[in-house]
Amino acid sequence: MSGAPLRRALVSVLTLAFAASCTQSVQPRPSPSHDVEVASKLARDASAILLQFSAYDYGLAGALAGEKTRTVAPTRYGTIARDSAKSISAFSGNVLAATMDRSGPIRDKLVPLADGLADLAKDGEAYAGGGDPATFARVINGVTAGWDRLRDLSTVLAKDDVLLNTIARGTSLVVTANSATQSTVTAGPYASLTDASQALRSIGSPLNATVTQASPFVVRLGPYPRRATADAVSAELAKQGITSVVTDEQSYSFTRSGPLPDAELWREPSRVQDTRGSTRKLAVSGDGSWLVTGGDDGYAALFDPSGALRALPQSYAGMSVLAFADDGRFFAAGGQVVNFLAVPSGQPVGSGMRFTGAATQIMFVPTSRLFVAASKGPTGESSGGPGLIGGRAPDGAPLGDPFPIVTPAAGAQIASSEAGDVYVGTTSGGAYDVEVFRPGRDVSPRAVARITGVGRALAIDRAARFAAVVTDQGTFRFALADPKTLTRVAGMVRDIAFGPDGTLYVMDQTSLAAIGADGASKWTTPLVDGRRLIAARRAVVLDGTDRLLAFAPADGTAEELGSGGAISDVTMSRDGRVVGAIVDTRRAVLFTLP
C-alpha cells in the first residue's frame, strides 16, 4: 500500500474499531489466537514482485551503461514500475487483512516486508516520473532490502521450495549502484547568450566548458572529480574578475552481474540492432543469432551475432522478401529479382530468380534444402500475364522440374511441412486448388483439395497432418489425409498459422482464436486491429501499428512485448524461439520467448 506504513494503518483500524465498540454493548474482544494463516501465499506474491523488479533493474542498469542486449529502456521501465506499484498496493491490502487480530513471528516479519515494498513502489513511481539516477539507486537498495526481509520471513514458514528457488533466482541478479561526488564551477548569470559566450572566450574556451542556451545564461566548467580542483578553477576565474560558484553533485554508474534473465525479461528485447534508415523487412537465422534487414533503397544489411555489420549488398529495387538457409550459410534477398548470397561475405552465389513482379513470399524448406519464392503476374490481373514460383538450392544453384511453376496472374500462396513437401495454393475457375510436390522426387504438383472461393492464405502444420485456407467464402480446416474432413471454422479472416503443437490460430481484425489439433475451440481473445500473425512458441500478433502481443497457448493470456515504436515487419526463427520486428524503420528488436 502507498501512504502511511502498514503498522500505522493497523493502529488506525484498531483504534476505530475500539471507538465503535464503546457505543455498543460490551462484547469480548477476539484475542489473537494464532499467527498469519496465508503467509506462504503472501510470501510467494512478494517474491514475484521482487523478482520482476530484480530482472527489470538488471535490464535498466544495462541500458544506462550503454549495453545492447537484455536491456530495458527507461520509458519501458517506468511503465513496469507503475504496474508493479499497483501490485504492491494490492499486496499491502492483503497483508493488512491477513494480519488483523494476529500475532506471532510470522506477522512480525510480514508487516515490515509489506512496509518496505510500499516504499519501493513510491521510489519506482518516482523514477518513472523523472528518470533520476539517485532514485533508481534507491530502488536497487529497496529491492535488496526486500529480498533480505523475504528470506528472513521464509525462516519461520513451512519449507517452500518454490519460494526458496525464487529467492535464489532473484538474488542472483546483482545490480549495483556506484556513486561519486563531482564538482561543477558556474560563472554568471549573464544578460544574454552573447555575453555568456564572450565570457567563455575570455576564460579560454576549455574543453569541459558549456554555455546554457536559454536563460539564465551561465558558463559551466567541469564536472571535476575533486572539489579542490574546482575550487582552484574558481579562484583563477576570480583573478580575472569573473564571479563563480562551486556546487557538488552526486553522479551514478550502474553495473550488473549474474545469470541472463531471459525467462524474466522475455517481454523485453533480448537484442536491439540499429540498422539503416528506411528498413522495412527482417529475417533471422535458424538460431536467431544472425540478422539481415532490407529497405526501400535496395540494401540488405547483414549483422553477425555480436551486432557487427558484416555485409551491405545492394540490389536495384526495394526488398520485398528475405530468408536464411537452415544452416545460416546463405541468405536470399530481393524483390522482382531474388539473389542468393553467402554468409558472412554477402557475395552473390549461384543465379538469381527473376519474377514478373516483386516476390510476395519466400521460404526455406529444411528437409528438401531449398529456397522457394512466389510472385504475382506483372499487374496481378489476368491480362497482365501469369505469376511464377521459383526454386533454388541454398547456394543459388538452379533446380530442375517442377521449377519454374507458372501460376495464375493473381499468384500463389506457398507453405511447407517438416517432411520437405511444398504446398501451393492457386485460384482458378472460382475455386482454390491446393497442390503438393516433393522437390527432387516429383516433377509436377499433384492435387490435394479444391475449396470454393478466391484464395487468400494457406497454412500447413509442421507434421503435415492438417491444412487451413482462407478464401473469400470463409476459413476452412481439413486433414491432409482426408480432404472430405473440410470444415468451415470462421468467416474470411486476415491471417492464419499453425503452432508447433498443431493448434490453428485464426486472426481477424478484432479477435484471435485458437483451435486445437482435435478441432475443438480452445479460446478466443479480443484485438484492437489485428494486422499480422506468426505462430512461434506463442502466437504473436501485430495489433495495430505498434503493439506486439504474445499469447499463452493454454488460455490466450496476452503479454505485450516492449517493441517501443511503429512496426513494419514481424518474423521468427525457424525453431520459434526468437521473434523479431522492425521498429520505426531504423532498428531491429529481438525477443527470446520462454
Side-chain angles (χ1 to χ4, degrees):
M1 66 180 288
S2 59
L6 190 60
R7 290 190 183 88
R8 294 202 294 271
L10 280 168
V11 170
S12 176
V13 171
L14 291 173
T15 302
L16 290 172
F18 174 77
S21 68
C22 294
T23 64
Q24 301 172 2
S25 59
V26 177
Q27 299 289 337
R29 279 185 59 82
S31 59
S33 56
H34 47 77
D35 218 330
V36 181
E37 295 177 338
V38 295
S40 293
K41 180 184 182 305
L42 291 171
R44 285 194 180 191
D45 292 344
S47 72
I49 292 170
L50 286 168
L51 181 57
Q52 178 164 271
F53 264 107
S54 288
Y56 277 84
D57 287 354
Y58 182 101
L60 179 58
L64 296 177
E67 299 183 37
K68 297 296 185 182
T69 60
R70 283 125 184 140
T71 60
V72 177
T75 53
R76 175 66 175 170
Y77 183 92
T79 299
I80 299 299
R82 293 186 185 96
D83 289 342
S84 296
K86 296 175 184 177
S87 298
I88 290 174
S89 178
F91 172 79
S92 296
N94 293 335
V95 170
L96 178 62
T99 54
M100 187 74 66
D101 293 328
R102 303 286 177 178
S103 66
I106 296 177
R107 178 195 178 281
D108 291 344
K109 296 179 185 298
L110 186 59
V111 169
L113 173 63
D115 283 346
L117 288 182
D119 291 337
L120 176 61
K122 289 188 289 185
D123 286 335
E125 288 188 298
Y127 181 82
D132 175 37
T135 305
F136 180 46
R138 290 201 305 272
V139 170
I140 293 170
N141 292 333
V143 171
T144 300
W147 285 122
D148 290 341
R149 294 187 183 103
L150 184 59
R151 187 186 290 108
D152 190 31
L153 173 62
S154 71
T155 63
V156 294
L157 299 176
K159 185 179 179 182
D160 184 340
D161 288 337
V162 172
L163 175 62
L164 295 177
N165 289 339
T166 305
I167 293 173
R169 175 64 175 170
T171 54
S172 70
L173 304 174
V174 180
V175 180
T176 305
N178 304 295
S179 64
T181 301
Q182 295 182 321
S183 300
T184 301
V185 179
T186 303
Y190 297 94
S192 66
L193 177 60
T194 300
D195 291 342
S197 299
Q198 178 61 42
L200 177 60
R201 286 192 292 271
S202 67
I203 293 171
S205 300
L207 293 177
N208 62 346
T210 58
V211 176
T212 57
Q213 300 300 301
S215 180
F217 300 103
V218 298
V219 177
R220 291 197 177 99
L221 294 89
Y224 300 94
R226 293 174 29 181
R227 173 68 186 240
T229 304
D231 287 338
V233 171
S234 181
E236 286 298 319
L237 293 179
K239 293 178 182 179
Q240 301 178 40
I242 299 175
T243 303
S244 63
V245 296
V246 177
T247 56
D248 295 328
E249 296 180 351
Q250 289 291 111
S251 65
Y252 289 86
S253 61
F254 301 95
T255 58
R256 61 183 185 173
S257 61
L260 301 177
D262 285 339
E264 292 80 17
L265 288 181
W266 70 269
R267 302 169 191 82
E268 311 306 323
S270 54
R271 176 176 171 183
V272 177
Q273 180 69 60
D274 293 327
T275 186
R276 296 175 59 82
S278 75
T279 296
R280 299 190 183 279
K281 299 294 294 184
L282 170 68
V284 298
S285 61
D287 62 0
S289 61
W290 285 78
L291 311 179
V292 61
T293 64
D296 296 339
D297 56 6
Y299 282 97
L302 177 67
F303 297 93
D304 69 15
S306 72
L309 177 65
R310 301 300 297 272
L312 192 64
Q314 184 185 22
S315 61
Y316 295 105
M319 299 289 173
S320 62
V321 292
L322 294 170
F324 276 95
D326 57 349
D327 58 7
R329 295 176 55 208
F330 303 97
F331 69 96
Q336 187 168 350
V337 176
V338 177
N339 293 309
F340 303 90
L341 306 105
V343 175
S345 68
Q347 293 299 309
V349 295
S351 61
M353 290 188 291
R354 179 174 293 277
F355 296 93
T356 51
T360 55
Q361 267 186 280
I362 192 168
M363 63 186 183
F364 188 82
V365 187
T367 306
S368 298
R369 302 212 74 247
L370 77 160
F371 288 101
V372 181
S375 75
K376 297 181 180 180
T379 65
E381 302 294 332
S382 328
S383 58
L388 288 174
I389 298 174
R392 287 289 189 275
D395 61 358
L399 302 173
D401 291 336
F403 300 110
I405 301 172
V406 178
T407 70
Q413 289 75 44
I414 54 177
S416 67
S417 70
E418 291 287 357
D421 292 323
V422 175
Y423 292 81
V424 178
T426 56
T427 301
S428 62
Y432 190 61
D433 291 297
V434 178
E435 299 173 292
V436 63
F437 64 93
R438 176 75 59 86
R441 185 187 69 183
D442 299 329
V443 296
S444 61
R446 60 186 184 276
V448 174
R450 186 173 174 84
I451 300 100
T452 301
V454 177
R456 310 287 188 186
L458 169 66
I460 305 294
D461 84 312
R462 292 191 173 188
R465 295 171 298 170
F466 303 103
V469 301
V470 179
T471 75
D472 60 356
Q473 301 300 305
T475 302
F476 303 87
R477 175 184 178 273
F478 61 93
L480 284 166
D482 184 8
K484 293 180 181 178
T485 59
L486 184 75
T487 303
R488 189 177 190 273
V489 295
M492 186 177 68
V493 298
R494 289 187 170 183
D495 211 350
I496 53 175
F498 279 102
D501 62 352
T503 297
L504 173 62
Y505 295 100
V506 179
M507 186 200 74
D508 201 358
Q509 178 179 354
T510 58
S511 67
L512 175 69
I515 300 170
D518 60 357
S521 175
K522 295 174 64 175
W523 46 261
T524 300
T525 190
L527 300 174
V528 176
D529 182 16
R531 297 192 176 198
R532 179 76 187 279
L533 164 68
I534 59 174
R537 287 186 176 179
R538 298 175 180 231
V540 177
V541 169
L542 174 58
D543 192 20
T545 60
D546 58 1
R547 295 181 71 225
L548 203 58
L549 303 177
F551 296 86
D555 58 8
T557 301
E559 304 269 11
E560 184 169 357
L561 304 182
S563 53
I567 299 170
S568 56
D569 192 25
V570 182
T571 190
M572 71 178 191
S573 60
R574 177 70 186 179
D575 61 7
R577 187 178 65 93
V578 176
V579 169
I582 292 296
V583 179
D584 293 335
T585 70
R586 59 184 175 82
R587 67 182 183 273
V589 296
L590 302 186
F591 302 89
T592 302
L593 302 186

